[in-house]
Amino acid sequence: MISILGDRILAQRKSSSVQLAKIPAPDFDLAMTLDSGQVFHWEKAGDGFAGAIGDRPVYVKQSEDSLLISSGDEEAVRNYFALDHPLTEICASFPDDPAMNAARKFCRGLRIIRQPNWECLATFICSSMKQVAHIRQISRKLRQRFGEPREINDHVIHTFPSAKRIAALSESELRKCALGYRAKNLLSTARSVAGGDVDFERLTTLSDVDLRARLCELPGVGAKVANCVMLFAYERLRAFPIDVWIERVLREKYFPRARRLNAGRLRAFTEKYFGDHGGYAQQYLFHHARKQKIKTKTKRERKSAGLSRSSA
């Protein structure tokens, strides 16, 4: 009887565990890519990460130059993490300067994710004037309150709510997700999408200039958000989002003596200087600058704590 019961428990454990498939993933750093400020909902789950690719729950973990993923998700994972991008060639195309070389070395294996159009647009509307940690909190609240629950590898994740779902909400309901003034913009854009005023498939046919202009017509979308959507959802790898981090890097590393430096001049410089893979260059510069800032802040805090203890 005990043996039978033990066999049943073992069988239940085996049936509840996710069968993992193995796919090659050379020149790829999973953890760095997920932490680089492109996407905000993946959660640590054991030795890997659990998240959603569209409506599909996915578990993925890295094993050297391979990925172990929930079986049946191989093609979705390859596409999502852009494992087909020729990363060596892309990195070799970067300008040869100290700032870019340091970022390229630090960010080895970071890839630009291919995100679902609506999810990417909505997330970056929510990101305005917010730090990465805050954007994660907003994304989590939106998913938990209005998305659909999915279970993968004993870990519950939530899909991102559709434009139709958000369009049916009130601004006050969205404000409960810590959106602040962004709630109005997200709601207005969701209603435009749900009502058919925005056709994501048609947008894919537009040139970079026209796509940027069309996105900027939407509430809450300026040049920075438009470029993020172009880069992360439409794979326009020339798109170069300029936020506070990147503007600081550009000023300090490329225009240290410039007294007047407006957005137009920065945009013209990045388009010409970083070229066809400017989006990748931007992401490497952004992630390197952000991590170096965090590292410096941590060192200062530890030093301050040490002084406090020694003087106590």
Side-chain angles (χ1 to χ4, degrees):
M1 181 68 178
I2 295 176
S3 176
I4 294 174
L5 181 60
D7 289 343
R8 286 179 178 175
I9 293 174
L10 181 61
Q12 289 175 353
R13 287 177 177 173
K14 287 182 177 179
S15 63
S16 64
S17 63
V18 173
Q19 297 297 314
L20 298 180
K22 185 176 182 179
I23 62 174
D27 295 329
F28 182 53
D29 189 313
L30 173 65
M32 181 181 294
T33 297
L34 292 177
D35 186 43
S36 64
Q38 317 178 48
V39 68
F40 307 94
H41 71 278
W42 289 80
E43 302 285 348
K44 199 80 174 77
D47 295 330
F49 297 87
I53 298 178
D55 292 332
R56 177 187 301 216
V58 173
Y59 176 79
V60 55
K61 70 177 181 179
Q62 187 140 24
S63 177
E64 297 181 346
D65 287 338
S66 299
L67 293 179
L68 301 177
I69 63 176
S70 41
S71 183
D73 295 326
E74 295 91 333
E75 189 56 38
V77 168
R78 286 192 189 95
N79 181 71
Y80 184 76
F81 289 115
L83 298 183
D84 57 320
H85 280 175
L87 198 59
T88 299
E89 296 176 19
I90 289 172
C91 290
S93 73
F94 293 163
D96 182 8
D97 65 63
M100 193 70 253
N101 290 339
R104 174 170 44 202
K105 182 178 180 180
F106 181 84
C107 296
R108 181 179 179 182
L110 193 164
R111 289 176 178 267
I112 297 296
I113 295 173
R114 293 185 177 109
Q115 298 183 40
N117 298 331
W118 161 246
E119 178 183 321
C120 183
L121 172 61
T123 299
F124 279 98
I125 287 176
C126 299
S127 75
S128 177
M129 302 302 290
K130 286 287 186 180
Q131 297 180 359
V132 170
H134 297 150
I135 304 169
R136 287 186 184 279
Q137 293 172 6
I138 292 172
S139 176
R140 185 181 300 114
K141 288 179 180 179
L142 283 171
R143 289 171 181 273
Q144 289 177 346
R145 292 192 181 193
F146 308 119
E148 296 293 330
R150 300 284 189 273
E151 186 172 351
I152 186 77
N153 206 29
D154 297 326
H155 191 84
V156 177
I157 60 94
H158 292 77
T159 63
F160 193 84
S162 67
K164 183 178 180 180
R165 176 74 177 97
I166 290 181
L169 301 173
S170 65
E171 184 179 332
S172 61
E173 287 177 295
L174 288 174
R175 281 181 175 270
K176 293 177 182 178
C177 295
L179 281 167
Y181 70 87
R182 301 161 196 82
K184 182 178 181 180
N185 292 329
L186 179 61
L187 183 58
S188 295
T189 296
R191 288 174 175 172
S192 292
V193 173
D197 294 334
V198 180
D199 184 343
F200 288 121
E201 290 304 314
R202 182 179 177 279
L203 293 184
T204 63
T205 66
L206 300 180
S207 67
D208 286 359
V209 172
D210 290 340
L211 175 56
R212 186 181 295 108
R214 179 66 184 98
L215 289 170
C216 285
E217 293 174 359
L218 300 173
V221 179
K224 182 259 182 177
V225 171
N227 277 314
C228 284
V229 176
M230 290 172 64
L231 178 60
F232 303 130
Y234 286 92
E235 205 172 358
R236 305 299 176 91
L237 299 184
R238 289 186 64 93
F240 197 102
I242 300 177
D243 65 354
V244 173
W245 286 101
I246 291 300
E247 182 174 343
R248 186 180 299 132
V249 170
L250 294 174
R251 288 179 180 275
E252 291 179 356
K253 305 299 183 181
Y254 298 98
F255 296 93
R257 297 180 179 84
R259 293 184 178 181
R260 295 182 180 178
L261 195 61
N262 58 32
R265 185 178 175 187
L266 285 177
R267 183 173 61 252
F269 167 75
T270 58
E271 289 178 356
K272 182 178 180 180
Y273 187 71
F274 294 102
D276 290 342
H277 299 114
Y280 261 99
Q282 177 274 155
Q283 197 63 24
Y284 279 39
L285 290 169
F286 169 83
H287 187 62
H288 179 237
R290 176 172 158 261
K291 286 300 181 179
Q292 290 302 107
K293 182 70 173 180
I294 293 172
K295 183 179 179 181
T296 301
K297 182 179 179 181
T298 302
K299 284 183 177 179
R300 288 175 179 171
E301 290 174 348
R302 287 176 179 173
K303 184 177 180 180
S304 177
L307 288 172
S308 299
R309 286 194 295 269
S310 64
S311 61

